[in-house]
Amino acid sequence: MGAGGGSGRGQLFLRSILFLLLAGTPAPRPAGGQLRYAVPEELEHGAFVANLGEDLGLDVSTLSARRFRIVSRAGARQHLEVNLENGILFVNERIDREEVCEAGGTCLLHLQLLVESPLELYRVEVEVLDINDHAPTFPWQEYVLEVAESAVLGARFPLESAQDPDVGTNSVHTYRLSPNSFFSLEVQTRSDASKFAELVLERALDREQQRAHRVLLTALDGGVPERSGTAHILVTVLDANDNVPAFDQPSYGVSLPEDAPAGTLVIQLNATDLDEGPNGEIEYSFSGHAPPRVRELFHIEPRSGQVLLKGPLDYERASLHELYVQAKDRGPSAVAVHCRVLVHLLDVNDNAPEVSLTSVSTPVLEDAPPGTVIAVISVLDRDSGDNGRVSCEVGPDVPFELRSSFRNYYTLVTTQALDREVVSEYNVSITARDMGSPALLTRSTLTVPVSDVNDNPPRFLQPSYSVYVMENNAPGASICSVSALDPDCQQNAYLSYSIADGHIHGMPVGTYVSINSDSGHMYALRSLDYEQIRSFQIQVQAQDAGFPPLSANVTVHIFVLDQNDNAPVIVSPMPRNGSVATELVPRSAGPGYLVGTVSAVDADAGLNSRLSYQLLQATDFTLFSVAPDTGELRTLRSFLEQDATRQRLVVQVRDGGQPALSATLSLLLSVVETMPQTLSDFSEFSLPPEASSSSPVTLYLLVSLGSISFTFLLAILILTAIRCRGERHSHQGDGCSPPRCHCCPRSRPSSDGLKTSNLTGQPPAGTMAATCLDVPGGGPPGYCYKVCLGPESAQSDFMFLKPCSPPRNNEKDPGKQSRPGQHLQVSKQIKQPNMDWLPPSMQRPALKRYQT
C-alpha cells in the first residue's frame, strides 16, 4: 500500500490552512433555533472555531462570573472549549472525523452551553468537515487473479476495492491501471456512490504463450492534493472453467432486531454454477474489502451460504450493516462473483434513560420563596423514536416540581415554603421513563438539605416556675434551674440566660439572685429571711445567638420557707427589777383566780410560731397553774396560813418548731391581805398614752436631757462640798460621785430595732477613774448609764452600757434559773411578730403595744 502526496504532519497543517483559506471563516448558521458552525478536522489545539460571546449576545466580562461552560456527559472527550475571557470557542484537542463519526455522512458535535445567574441554556452544533488526510488502501498489496484461458473478450473481472476513511470528494474517486496489451480498466459506481474497478479482457489469453500477467492497480481520491494507493495484480491464466457461480440477485436486504442473540440466521444465500464436479461446488466467504466490524458481527458458513449473527448488535452505534459476500467454485480457474447484503437493524427499547445533574444549588434556605431553582437536570435516552422519548417526574409528598425549559432539560424548583424544623433534608426521587414498550425507567435521588434561618424564638419548658427556698440559705447556693429550647440549629439555637432588670424591696434584683448564662442555673446571692421577705418574682430571659436575635421571658416565683430561727419574745409582763416581774395577789383569792396573763410573740410562721405555756419552776406547784394555750396564770386552790407570802414562778414559753425554741419569765408574786390601788406588771397600760405614742428617739432625748440635768446639779453640789472641805478660802479638792445605776421604767420595744452605741468613756489624763451609779428611774428602758465627773470641770460624759433586758432562757432543764446579770442576747433588729398564729383576745392589747 502506498500513499501519494506525503503524509507528514507539516503537510497536514498546510492542507488545513489551505482549507480554511478556501472555505473562509466559519459563520454561525441557525438550525432549528440553535447556532451551527463548521470546522475542519485535524486542527491544532487552540484553533479558532467561533465567537460565542458575540453570536449569543452575551457580555464577555461576565462569562467567568456566570460560570459559562460546556456541559458534557461524564467520560466524554472534550474536543472543544470556551475561552471565558473573550467568549471564543476553540479546539481543545485534535478532532479526527473518522474516529468521532464511525458512520459516513454528516459528522456533528452537539454542544450544550450553560450560563448561570440567570440560568440560560444554549444548544450549538459544530459540523466536523472532512479533509483529505487518508490515502486509499487495498486489503492486500499484491493479490492473484486467476483467469481461464477460455475467457472471452470483454470478460469482466471485479477487482478488490480500495478503502478510504475520508468521505465525499476525499474518498476513492477513480482507479488507474498500468499500461498493458491484454487488459483494460473500467470504473463502476455502486448505489451508495462508492467506486470499484473491473478488469476487462481486451485480448485473448494463451496460457501456452504467457502463463501470468502483472499489472499495477492505482486508486485515486478526489482530494486536494490528490492521494493514491496501489496494489499489484498477478493474473494467472488457467485452463478453462468456463462457468462461474451466479447469485439469485445482486443485492439482498434483511431486517434484524438489535437484541437478536448470537447464532441467529440472518439470511440464506444461494448461488448456482452450471459446471459439474469441483467446478460446480461453491464456497461462500466475505470479500476482501469487508470491514473488520462486519467480520466481528457476522459469520458465513462456507458450504451452505448461511449468514449467521456472531456478535451483539447495537442500533445506537450503527443502524445499517453492509455485507459483501463472494461465491467461488472449487474448480480450476475459479472466478469469484459478489453480492451485497444490507442488514437493517430494528431498534428495541434496550437503553434506560440517563439522568444527569447539570447544576445543583444546595443547601436551600428555609425561607426561600416558591419557585426557587434548586437544580438543572438533563435526561438522555440513546434509543430512537418512542423508545427515546423521555418524561421526567419527582416523587410525591415533596415541595418540589420539575419544569421543562428545553427538550430533555428540566429545572427543579420549590412549590411552597420550607420549614427546616419540620423537615431538615429532602431526598427527592427523580424518575425518568421512556415511551417504549415495555417502558424503561431510571430513578435518581437528589439530597436537598435545608439551611436554617432564625425564625423560632426560644421556648421555656414551663410557662412559669415556682421555687421554694428555705430561709437562712447559704449565699451562692443553687436554688433552681430554668431551661428553654429553640428548634433552630447551630448558633440560632445557642441560648444565653439573663435576669431582667427590676427591684425587690427597693434593691436591684441582681443583689438577690444571679443566673448562669449558659446552663440556666440560678443562685441566691444573699441569705434570705422569711420574716423580711416571704416571696418575690423575677423575669428570666432566654435569647438565642441568631441574627436578629430572638428571645422569650418566663416568670420565676421564689417563695421563702420559714425556719424556726426566732425564739418567742415575752411582751407581758415586763420585768421591773432586773429580770423579775412582780405582782400582788390577795390572800382571799379562791381557786381559779386570774392572777394575770403571760403574753409572748414569735416572728416565725405556722407551727414555728404556735406557742405553748408551762410552769417551769414554782415555790409551790399546787398553788398556781398556767393555761398551755392562753398563758393565763390562775390559782389552783385557796391560800393557807402556812403558804409563803412570796411565791416565785418561772414560766416557759415554747414554740412548735423543730427543734423548739423557748423563752422564760421569772415572776415574783407577793401575797397581800388587801390590794393597793396601783397597776401591776400585768396591766394593759404600762406607760401613759403619751409615752406609748411617742417615738423611741424622743424618749431617748428626754431621758438624756433629764439625766444630764440631774448629773449637772449633782456635780455642782459635790464640787461645792469638796471645795468647802479642802480649802476654806479657795478651791476645794477633786471628787467623783459614787456610782449609782438608773434603771428606767419599762417601755415597749421598738419595732425599728435597738441600736448599740459605740461610745466609751475615757477619763482625762491625770484624773481619777470614774465611778458608776445605778439610779432607779429615768433614762431609756432597760439600759444603765455611767456618770463621770472630772476634778477640773463640771462636764460629764454620757456613756452607754449593756442592756438590762429580761432574761431569755432556752434551757430545757426546768431546775435552772437565770442568774443576776445574765441577759438575753438582743439582735440589732428585733423582727416583727408573725400574725399567722394570733394569741387569745385577752393577750392582744399587750401584743399591740409590742408592735407599736
Side-chain angles (χ1 to χ4, degrees):
M1 178 178 63
S7 57
R9 297 296 295 175
Q11 294 180 356
L12 178 59
F13 179 77
L14 291 176
R15 289 197 295 273
S16 300
I17 296 300
L18 180 60
F19 180 88
L20 289 175
L21 292 175
L22 294 175
T25 303
R29 292 176 289 171
Q34 60 189 6
L35 297 177
R36 184 168 182 177
Y37 301 92
V39 61
E41 64 173 335
E42 301 295 338
L43 290 181
E44 297 293 333
H45 172 76
F48 174 86
V49 177
N51 192 335
L52 291 178
E54 179 180 354
D55 296 338
L56 295 177
L58 300 176
D59 187 0
V60 176
S61 61
T62 64
L63 294 182
S64 179
R66 296 182 63 186
R67 298 183 63 195
F68 184 62
R69 62 190 183 275
I70 298 175
V71 180
S72 60
R73 294 193 305 273
R77 298 178 63 180
Q78 195 76 14
H79 295 96
L80 302 176
E81 188 60 323
V82 177
N83 189 331
L84 297 181
E85 296 181 357
N86 51 27
I88 291 178
L89 180 67
F90 63 93
V91 176
N92 186 46
E93 64 179 22
R94 186 181 66 85
I95 304 175
D96 188 353
R97 196 200 69 84
E98 288 74 22
E99 179 183 351
V100 174
C101 302
E102 293 183 4
T106 304
C107 181
L108 296 176
L109 295 178
H110 299 276
L111 304 181
Q112 309 291 339
L113 302 178
L114 183 67
V115 63
E116 298 180 357
S117 302
L119 184 66
E120 294 178 346
L121 187 67
Y122 303 94
R123 307 182 77 176
V124 175
E125 289 183 353
V126 178
E127 180 182 358
V128 180
L129 303 177
D130 183 55
I131 64 174
N132 192 21
D133 57 339
H134 294 88
T137 58
F138 288 91
W140 302 280
Q141 291 186 354
E142 183 175 350
Y143 57 93
V144 177
L145 176 62
E146 296 179 345
V147 179
E149 63 178 344
S150 59
V152 297
L153 297 179
R156 296 175 179 270
F157 305 97
L159 302 178
E160 293 290 342
S161 298
Q163 300 295 320
D164 192 338
D166 297 326
V167 296
T169 58
N170 295 328
S171 63
V172 177
H173 179 65
T174 187
Y175 293 87
R176 210 163 41 208
L177 190 66
S178 61
N180 65 90
S181 58
F182 289 92
F183 300 95
S184 64
L185 191 68
E186 286 190 8
V187 179
Q188 303 292 336
T189 302
R190 299 188 181 95
S191 60
D192 59 353
S194 62
K195 306 287 187 178
F196 68 96
E198 291 181 341
L199 199 62
V200 181
L201 185 59
E202 299 290 343
R203 178 180 173 185
L205 298 175
D206 189 356
R207 181 177 177 276
E208 287 71 21
Q209 292 183 1
Q210 189 175 352
R211 299 181 59 180
H213 301 272
R214 290 185 176 273
V215 293
L216 180 64
L217 180 62
T218 302
L220 303 172
D221 61 20
V224 178
E226 186 181 69
R227 289 177 174 269
S228 63
T230 60
H232 295 275
I233 301 176
L234 177 61
V235 180
T236 302
V237 180
L238 303 177
D239 286 341
N241 180 16
D242 53 354
N243 289 294
V244 296
F247 285 99
D248 297 339
Q249 56 191 60
S251 181
Y252 298 88
V254 64
S255 296
L256 189 66
E258 63 171 324
D259 60 348
T264 301
L265 177 64
V266 179
I267 191 173
Q268 176 67 61
L269 297 177
N270 186 31
T272 60
D273 193 323
L274 298 179
D275 294 327
E276 294 181 356
N279 293 333
E281 295 177 0
I282 300 175
E283 290 184 349
Y284 301 88
S285 64
F286 285 114
S287 62
H289 57 273
R293 179 64 177 167
V294 170
R295 298 178 184 271
E296 293 175 359
L297 296 177
F298 301 96
H299 169 69
I300 297 180
E301 288 292 336
R303 301 303 298 270
S304 64
Q306 290 182 340
V307 179
L308 303 176
L309 185 60
K310 180 181 178 182
L313 302 175
D314 190 354
Y315 176 88
E316 289 70 38
R317 184 171 182 179
S319 60
L320 174 67
H321 294 281
E322 191 172 3
L323 284 65
Y324 292 95
V325 181
Q326 67 179 11
K328 185 169 61 172
D329 59 31
R330 302 180 64 184
S333 303
V335 176
V337 294
H338 301 77
C339 74
R340 184 176 63 168
V341 178
L342 298 178
V343 181
H344 298 272
L345 299 185
L346 301 178
D347 184 39
V348 295
N349 193 21
D350 59 342
N351 290 282
E354 300 175 5
V355 179
S356 301
L357 299 177
T358 303
S359 179
V360 180
S361 299
T362 57
V364 57
L365 291 174
E366 61 176 321
D367 60 349
T372 301
V373 177
I374 305 301
V376 177
I377 301 167
S378 63
V379 293
L380 175 66
D381 196 316
R382 299 180 183 277
D383 295 322
S384 61
D386 289 341
N387 296 333
R389 293 175 55 193
V390 180
S391 63
C392 202
E393 61 185 11
V394 297
D397 302 328
V398 292
F400 303 99
E401 67 176 3
L402 289 175
R403 296 178 182 176
S404 178
S405 53
F406 293 96
R407 182 175 180 270
N408 293 339
Y409 277 85
Y410 298 87
T411 55
L412 181 67
V413 299
T414 59
T415 59
Q416 64 188 41
L418 306 178
D419 191 347
R420 191 207 65 82
E421 289 70 41
V422 177
V423 180
S424 60
E425 185 178 86
Y426 291 91
N427 291 320
V428 183
S429 177
I430 302 171
T431 303
R433 181 182 287 103
D434 60 27
M435 303 300 177
S437 179
L440 299 179
L441 58 87
T442 299
R443 284 191 176 92
S444 180
T445 301
L446 174 62
T447 301
V448 181
V450 182
S451 61
D452 184 49
V453 297
N454 193 24
D455 57 347
N456 290 280
R459 179 176 57 85
F460 283 92
L461 300 183
Q462 300 180 22
S464 64
Y465 290 83
S466 296
V467 182
Y468 298 90
V469 182
M470 187 68 69
E471 67 171 328
N472 302 319
N473 59 293
S478 175
I479 58 175
C480 72
S481 177
V482 297
S483 181
L485 297 177
D486 195 318
D488 294 323
C489 67
Q490 296 179 354
Q491 69 174 11
N492 295 331
Y494 178 77
L495 300 182
S496 61
Y497 301 89
S498 61
I499 297 177
D501 294 336
H503 291 80
I504 300 174
H505 289 194
M507 296 293 291
V509 68
T511 63
Y512 279 83
V513 292
S514 66
I515 191 170
N516 188 304
S517 61
D518 296 326
S519 63
H521 290 285
M522 297 179 60
Y523 304 91
L525 297 181
R526 61 170 60 183
S527 180
L528 301 178
D529 192 344
Y530 175 85
E531 287 72 37
Q532 292 183 359
I533 179 170
R534 298 192 177 186
S535 65
F536 58 92
Q537 65 182 25
I538 59 176
Q539 293 288 328
V540 176
Q541 182 185 73
Q543 179 173 289
D544 58 31
F547 183 81
L550 301 178
S551 61
N553 294 338
V554 70
T555 301
V556 179
H557 302 273
I558 299 178
F559 299 93
V560 182
L561 300 179
D562 183 43
Q563 194 177 43
N564 193 23
D565 58 343
N566 292 282
V569 177
I570 299 175
V571 298
S572 176
M574 296 296 291
R576 285 181 178 272
N577 250 339
S579 60
V580 179
T582 62
E583 179 59 30
L584 301 179
V585 181
R587 182 175 291 276
S588 59
Y593 176 79
L594 178 62
V595 179
T597 302
V598 178
S599 299
V601 294
D602 195 315
D604 294 323
L607 290 177
N608 295 331
S609 65
R610 188 167 185 172
L611 304 179
S612 62
Y613 302 84
Q614 67 175 348
L615 192 59
L616 194 63
Q617 296 180 13
T619 304
D620 188 351
F621 281 96
T622 64
L623 190 56
F624 298 98
S625 68
V626 175
D629 295 330
T630 61
E632 294 179 347
L633 180 63
R634 295 179 181 271
T635 59
L636 294 176
R637 59 178 176 82
S638 300
F639 287 96
L640 302 177
E641 291 297 333
Q642 61 271 21
D643 290 335
T645 59
R646 295 176 67 85
Q647 298 285 333
R648 185 178 181 87
L649 306 179
V650 176
V651 179
Q652 183 186 59
V653 183
R654 181 187 297 268
D655 59 26
Q658 291 294 332
L661 301 179
S662 63
T664 59
L665 170 68
S666 295
L667 182 62
L668 183 62
L669 301 180
S670 299
V671 181
V672 296
E673 296 296 335
T674 58
M675 294 289 293
Q677 298 297 321
T678 59
L679 295 176
S680 68
D681 290 340
F682 285 107
S683 175
E684 295 183 1
F685 303 98
S686 59
L687 288 177
E690 295 78 5
S692 299
S693 61
S694 62
S695 66
V697 177
T698 304
L699 180 61
Y700 294 158
L701 292 177
L702 291 176
V703 173
S704 300
L705 181 60
S707 301
I708 293 173
S709 300
F710 175 77
T711 304
F712 180 71
L713 292 176
L714 183 61
I716 292 177
L717 293 176
I718 295 175
L719 184 60
T720 303
I722 292 175
R723 287 180 179 180
C724 291
R725 184 178 303 173
E727 295 181 7
R728 186 172 300 175
H729 301 288
S730 61
H731 299 286
Q732 299 294 326
D734 297 335
C736 181
S737 60
R740 298 183 63 190
C741 181
H742 292 261
C743 295
C744 307
R746 184 173 64 256
S747 176
R748 55 181 177 80
S750 173
S751 61
D752 295 333
L754 304 176
K755 300 181 178 179
T756 304
S757 173
N758 293 324
L759 294 175
T760 56
Q762 298 292 338
T767 64
M768 297 176 60
T771 58
C772 177
L773 291 98
D774 292 335
V775 182
Y783 288 87
C784 294
Y785 296 87
K786 180 191 297 183
V787 178
C788 295
L789 299 177
E792 300 296 332
S793 173
Q795 184 178 6
S796 64
D797 293 329
F798 179 72
M799 298 182 63
F800 179 78
L801 295 183
K802 60 180 179 291
C804 300
S805 59
R808 179 175 179 178
N809 188 5
N810 289 335
E811 300 294 335
K812 296 185 178 181
D813 188 0
K816 295 183 179 179
Q817 296 184 358
S818 300
R819 295 188 301 270
Q822 182 180 0
H823 309 289
L824 289 174
Q825 296 294 328
V826 180
S827 65
K828 293 183 179 180
Q829 182 176 358
I830 297 180
K831 300 178 181 178
Q832 291 292 333
N834 189 282
M835 296 298 145
D836 295 342
W837 177 254
L838 296 177
S841 59
M842 62 185 62
Q843 294 178 331
R844 294 181 184 174
L847 181 60
K848 291 180 181 178
R849 291 198 309 274
Y850 176 80
Q851 293 177 343
T852 305

